[in-house]
């Protein structure tokens, strides 16, 4: 039988997440002053965070999306990265910011950095809503991090478990029943 998931504790409120998104958007505006940035949202988990951060970016901004998956059903990584949807326009010559929901093992990000570097962008940085350093298997860090979180499985604000809970406007831990 499929596992039943229940919300456990609220980890980050909507207000906390959105205040931090605003700070990061402003930081990006300062770092890229006079330049144009291309945000590449990694579907599906990054959508809410990306929408929130980009509202506070004041430099010229274009957006694109990549869909990858390193996870099957459940809460354990399969370690295998697949591209489901490629960019609409190449990253060549652009100031790219990869926008992620969470960096856990770093396997997905390592793959994405290699993949996008191959298109010779002008620069490449990473903005992740959450960072779970205890799960790391690759030696890499995001440049803009919303929050560092402990090694528990989190849902909401775009994050899912088996496609559920992405719509929650806050982040919570889940319990398996
Ligand atoms: P990594 O390749 O292990 O760094 O995993 C990255 C991806 O795994 C993220 O983009 C998420 O989609 C997913 N992921 C990792 N931890 C969590 C979590 O706590 N909740 C929901 N998704 C997670
Ligand atoms: Mg993801």
């Amino acid at each position: 039988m499929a596992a039943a998931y229940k919300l456990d504790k609220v980890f980050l409120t909507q207000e906390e997440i959105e205040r931090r998104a605003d700070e990061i958007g402003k930081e990006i505006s300062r770092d890229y002053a006079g330049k144009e940035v291309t945000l590449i949202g990694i579907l599906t988990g990054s959508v809410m965070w990306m929408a929130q951060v980009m509202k506070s970016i004041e430099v010229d901004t274009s957006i694109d999306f990549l869909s990858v998956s390193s996870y099957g059903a459940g809460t354990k990584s399969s370690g295998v990265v697949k591209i489901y949807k490629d960019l609409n326009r190449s990253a060549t010559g652009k100031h790219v910011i990869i926008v992620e929901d969470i960096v856990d093992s770093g396997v997905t990000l390592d793959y994405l950095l290699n993949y996008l570097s191959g298109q010779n962008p002008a620069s490449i940085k990473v903005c992740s809503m959450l960072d779970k350093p205890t799960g790391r298997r690759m030696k890499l860090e995001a440049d803009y991090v919303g929050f560092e979180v402990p090694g528990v499985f989190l849902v909401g604000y775009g994050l899912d478990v088996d496609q559920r809970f992405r719509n929650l406007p806050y982040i919570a831990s889940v319990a398996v029943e």
Side-chain angles (χ1 to χ4, degrees):
M1 210 181 81
Y5 297 102
K6 223 181 74 175
L7 293 178
D8 185 23
K9 279 200 276 296
V10 174
F11 232 84
L12 292 162
T13 65
Q14 178 170 6
E15 200 195 356
E16 288 171 315
I17 301 164
E18 295 183 353
R19 198 184 313 126
R20 188 72 187 114
D22 179 57
E23 283 173 7
I24 289 179
K26 291 189 165 121
E27 201 180 328
I28 290 171
S29 307
R30 287 194 294 275
D31 293 352
Y32 290 85
K35 297 182 180 138
E36 183 180 333
V37 291
T38 299
L39 305 181
I40 297 182
I42 309 308
L43 296 172
T44 307
S46 72
V47 288
M48 225 185 252
W49 172 247
M50 176 151 137
Q52 198 60 35
V53 170
M54 64 194 261
K55 290 182 211 173
S56 298
I57 298 182
E58 287 157 6
V59 297
D60 278 349
T61 300
S62 64
I63 67 170
D64 206 339
F65 294 95
L66 259 176
S67 177
V68 297
S69 183
S70 61
Y71 283 75
T75 59
K76 281 259 158 42
S77 173
S78 64
V80 180
V81 180
K82 277 201 294 192
I83 292 197
Y84 291 129
K85 183 224 163 287
D86 209 337
L87 295 175
N88 288 350
R89 288 163 299 274
S90 120
T92 308
K94 295 178 176 165
H95 291 289
V96 163
I97 303 178
I98 298 174
V99 183
E100 262 285 24
D101 48 5
I102 182 167
V103 183
D104 183 15
S105 69
V107 171
T108 310
L109 190 53
D110 180 63
Y111 175 87
L112 289 168
L113 284 166
N114 279 314
Y115 178 70
L116 292 171
S117 298
Q119 299 186 8
N120 294 313
S123 67
I124 185 161
K125 281 194 184 182
V126 178
C127 167
S128 185
M129 175 170 71
L130 305 180
D131 180 19
K132 206 189 261 183
T134 53
R136 202 72 96 250
R137 283 191 274 147
M138 299 291 180
K139 203 170 172 298
L140 44 82
E141 299 305 326
D143 303 278
Y144 305 98
V145 172
F147 304 90
E148 195 171 291
V149 295
V152 293
F153 204 80
L154 299 169
V155 295
Y157 220 86
L159 292 165
D160 73 305
V161 60
D162 291 353
Q163 302 306 322
R164 293 185 60 201
F165 305 120
R166 290 194 196 276
N167 55 310
L168 295 179
Y170 55 89
I171 292 175
S173 53
V174 279
V176 183
E177 295 205 304

